[in-house]
């Protein structure tokens, strides 16, 4: 029993556990939509596309999170606009905007006199460095995102899988698509800040993909993704504590193992 309780004597470990649970739930809310709509590339793309917003805020001595959020919204709107006007598939639009935004961030960074710890921590993430303010912020975003997705779930389902019918009944398909992209961007920005790019993408994609193999409805998929992400996060965090390994990478490996287990169970059916 002491193996479970000993790490809890450290406040940083307890906060990391709470952060992993909150992030797992938050990523499950949008991760289900990402997997169902075949947007798995967007998690990694968004985490890089917000780079110019972060650098811009850093150069102007502003709030990095606010800068990232602005860039995420612009990225989401840009992806939607290019996809609609060019006729290209959404993954092509994501790639175009992602590369352009990331390159812009690199150019902006080249004018920065120094690359500070604050900026690198935002990009890399550190689950063990989560503060109480970070936890409250994650809880607030989880409630907001969950409330919005619940309110528009039926409309979003119809717009996602039968846009022609959705337009026929008067649904604003383009606005719903833009809303979903903005929510994904918001989740990616927050989770990247808390746990880093690699773990953020893992919780967004890997856990939801594993849940997709086992669940038969959107609601069950979200619940299962949150549960699997939480189990993987908590297990990985404890393993990293006792094995003295990088927490984010360890959690990703555990999540990957859970996905492989889900795949094996699916094949037996």
């Amino acid at each position: 029993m002491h193996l479970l309780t000993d790490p809890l004597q450290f406040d940083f470990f307890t906060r990391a556990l709470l952060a992993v649970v909150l992030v797992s739930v938050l990523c499950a809310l949008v991760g289900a939509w990402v997997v169902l709509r075949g947007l798995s590339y967007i998690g990694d793309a968004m985490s890089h596309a917000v780079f110019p917003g972060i650098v811009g805020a850093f150069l102007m001595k502003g709030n990095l999170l606010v800068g990232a959020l602005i860039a995420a919204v612009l990225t989401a709107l840009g992806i939607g606009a290019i996809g609609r006007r060019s006729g290209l598939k959404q993954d092509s639009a994501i790639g175009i905007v992602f590369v352009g935004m990331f390159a812009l961030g690199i150019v902006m960074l080249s004018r920065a006199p120094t690359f500070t710890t604050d900026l690198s921590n935002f990009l890399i993430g550190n689950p063990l460095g989560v503060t109480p303010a970070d936890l409250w912020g994650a809880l607030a975003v989880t409630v907001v995102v969950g409330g919005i997705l619940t309110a528009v779930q039926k409309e979003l389902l119809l717009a996602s899988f039968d846009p022609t019918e959705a337009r026929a009944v008067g649904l604003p398909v383009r606005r719903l698509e833009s809303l979903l992209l903005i929510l994904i961007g918001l989740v990616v920005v927050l989770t990247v800040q808390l746990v880093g790019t690699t773990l953020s993408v893992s919780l967004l994609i890997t856990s939801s993909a594993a849940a997709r193999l086992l669940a038969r409805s959107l609601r069950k998929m979200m619940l299962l993704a949150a549960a699997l992400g939480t189990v993987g996060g908590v297990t990985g965090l404890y393993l990293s504590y006792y094995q003295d390994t990088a927490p984010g990478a360890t959690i990703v490996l555990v999540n990957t193992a859970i996905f492989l287990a889900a795949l094996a169970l699916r094949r037996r059916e």
Side-chain angles (χ1 to χ4, degrees):
M1 191 67 181
H2 67 280
L3 292 176
L4 296 177
T5 57
D6 283 354
L8 297 178
Q9 65 183 305
F10 301 106
D11 290 339
F12 68 85
F13 189 88
T14 303
R15 288 195 296 270
L17 278 178
L18 292 174
V20 166
V21 172
L22 279 174
V23 169
S24 296
V25 173
L26 183 57
C27 286
L29 291 173
V30 298
W33 293 102
V34 169
V35 171
L36 288 174
R37 295 192 56 165
L39 298 175
S40 298
Y41 182 42
I42 199 171
D44 187 47
M46 275 285 190
S47 66
H48 288 78
V50 300
F51 192 38
I54 298 171
V55 176
F58 167 66
L59 293 176
M60 293 185 292
K61 303 185 184 303
N63 187 289
L64 301 186
L65 181 59
V66 173
L69 289 174
I70 292 173
V73 172
L74 293 176
T75 298
L77 295 176
I79 290 170
I82 290 177
R84 289 191 299 269
R85 295 181 181 180
S86 66
L88 296 171
K89 290 185 178 180
Q90 204 160 39
D91 59 345
S92 298
I94 291 171
I96 293 168
V97 176
F98 146 55
V99 173
M101 292 288 283
F102 189 65
L104 175 61
I106 295 295
V107 170
M108 293 170 64
L109 185 62
S110 66
R111 299 183 60 82
T114 57
F115 186 74
T116 69
T117 302
D118 288 340
L119 183 54
S120 61
N121 279 344
F122 190 100
L123 297 173
I124 298 170
N126 180 19
L128 298 179
V130 172
T131 66
D134 292 331
L135 292 176
W136 283 113
L139 179 60
V141 172
T142 301
V143 172
V144 170
V145 172
I148 293 174
L149 287 176
T150 299
V152 300
Q153 179 174 313
K154 293 181 180 179
E155 292 82 357
L156 197 54
L157 273 172
L158 185 59
S160 296
F161 299 105
D162 194 349
T164 302
E165 177 66 20
R167 291 189 182 93
V169 298
L171 291 180
V173 175
R174 292 181 179 179
R175 292 180 183 178
L176 288 169
E177 290 178 348
S178 295
L179 175 63
L180 179 60
L181 290 172
I182 290 172
L183 291 178
I184 292 172
L186 175 63
V187 170
V188 169
V189 167
L190 179 69
T191 55
V192 165
Q193 181 195 18
L194 292 181
V195 297
T197 301
T198 303
L199 181 52
S200 171
V201 175
S202 176
L203 290 172
L204 190 66
I205 306 302
T206 309
S207 299
S208 295
R212 178 70 179 88
L213 294 175
L214 303 174
R216 293 291 181 270
S217 68
L218 178 63
R219 184 172 180 274
K220 290 181 179 179
M221 182 180 171
M222 287 182 177
L223 291 174
L224 186 55
L228 294 178
T230 299
V231 170
V234 172
T235 302
L237 204 56
Y238 270 96
L239 285 174
S240 72
Y241 176 83
Y242 285 110
Q243 299 300 320
D244 194 23
T245 56
T250 305
I251 294 172
V252 170
L253 289 177
V254 174
N255 284 340
T256 303
I258 290 174
F259 171 79
L260 294 175
L263 182 61
L265 289 173
R266 176 64 179 269
R267 286 183 175 179
R268 289 182 179 180
E269 294 180 0

